[in-house]
Every structure is written in C-alpha cells, then in structure tokens.
Amino acid sequence: MENIHDEFQVFKDELKKLNIDVQKVVKVGNGSMDFHEVFYKSPRYEDIKSVYVQRHNLDNILQKFKEAYH
C-alpha cells in the first residue's frame, strides 16, 4: 500500500503532464476529516488557485482536471 506522500507525488506528476504546477499540499482538518489543500498554478490563471481533496478522492479530482485541461 502506498503512503500519502507517494499518492500525492503521483497526483502531482499527473498534473504536471497537464502543465499544472502544484505549489504545495497542506493537510487541513483532523484525523476523522482528512482533507488536504492543494495549491496549484495553471496556464489558465495568473494567480495560484487551490482545491480541497480527500485522499480517497485523488483519482476523481485528477479525472476532473484531465477533463478540464484536455
């Protein structure tokens, strides 16, 4: 089983393929509500945007990025 850092590295690598640069990932919330805020820079926006994700939803969020940026 991969740890959280490996999973987010794969997530960051996949976003990089879409020309989206992940600036940082910050854990927010407590153990029962394990959310992470992902700060990213995309070619569509001048400023840095962020999105909240849960570990078990990384694949769903990644799919949404792929649909939006392809």
Side-chain angles (χ1 to χ4, degrees):
M1 176 112 177
E2 294 180 349
N3 68 34
I4 188 73
H5 298 293
D6 291 340
E7 290 177 24
F8 271 104
Q9 187 58 52
V10 169
F11 182 74
K12 289 193 254 184
D13 291 345
E14 289 298 314
L15 288 181
K16 189 71 160 173
K17 292 176 187 175
L18 299 173
N19 204 23
I20 299 169
D21 185 31
V22 174
Q23 304 289 311
K24 65 181 174 178
V25 177
V26 179
K27 183 178 178 181
V28 293
N30 57 28
S32 64
M33 295 297 287
D34 196 13
F35 281 91
H36 291 79
E37 187 171 9
V38 177
F39 295 88
Y40 65 94
K41 178 91 170 98
S42 80
R44 291 187 181 177
Y45 305 104
E46 299 264 335
D47 52 347
I48 295 173
K49 300 289 186 180
S50 70
V51 63
Y52 289 95
V53 298
Q54 286 182 293
R55 182 178 184 180
H56 65 274
N57 284 336
L58 281 177
D59 290 338
N60 293 338
I61 298 293
L62 183 58
Q63 186 61 37
K64 289 180 181 180
F65 271 108
K66 286 180 178 179
E67 288 170 4
Y69 283 86
H70 264 154

